[in-house]
């Protein structure tokens, strides 16, 4: 019985399509930076996300939430 369970676990861990523990952090990094620098702002997504803050008097959108481009690689916090 124990051997069967061990074999099943080894098979699951050997599958290449199974996401690793760091995969979730990479997915969140690619979603978009919520505190971007000025040159990292994705203006199209920022405007779409803030259309509810349109000011008719000034004929403009006030960006309450800025959305930046997602990182392509994770940041190594240990170094």
């Amino acid at each position: 019985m124990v051997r069967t369970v061990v074999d099943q676990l080894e098979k699951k861990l050997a599958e290449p399509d199974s996401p690793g523990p760091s995969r979730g952090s990479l997915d969140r990094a690619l979603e978009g930076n919520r505190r971007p620098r000025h040159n990292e702002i994705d203006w199209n997504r920022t405007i779409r996300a803030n259309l509810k803050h349109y000011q008719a008097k000034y004929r403009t959108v006030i960006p309450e939430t800025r959305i930046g481009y997602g990182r392509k690689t994770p940041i190594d916090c240990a170094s």
Side-chain angles (χ1 to χ4, degrees), residues 4-23:
T4 307
V5 172
V6 170
D7 289 339
Q8 288 175 353
L9 284 174
E10 287 177 350
K11 190 189 308 182
K12 281 186 180 181
L13 292 174
E15 292 178 5
D17 61 329
S18 64
S22 63
R23 186 68 188 161

Side-chain angles (χ1 to χ4, degrees), residues 7-77:
D7 289 339
Q8 288 175 353
L9 284 174
E10 287 177 350
K11 190 189 308 182
K12 281 186 180 181
L13 292 174
E15 292 178 5
D17 61 329
S18 64
S22 63
R23 186 68 188 161
S25 63
L26 285 175
D27 290 341
R28 282 191 296 279
L30 291 175
E31 284 177 5
N33 184 1
R34 291 292 180 158
R35 295 184 59 197
R37 296 183 185 120
H38 183 72
N39 62 342
E40 295 174 347
I41 296 176
D42 183 352
W43 287 106
N44 291 329
R45 289 182 61 203
T46 299
I47 290 170
R48 273 188 265 131
N50 289 286
L51 284 175
K52 60 186 168 195
H53 302 292
Y54 179 75
Q55 302 291 314
K57 180 179 177 181
Y58 301 110
R59 297 178 60 197
T60 190
V61 173
I62 307 296
E64 294 279 325
T65 305
R66 295 181 308 266
I67 301 173
Y69 295 106
R71 293 187 184 104
K72 300 292 188 273
T73 57
I75 294 175
D76 185 14
C77 297

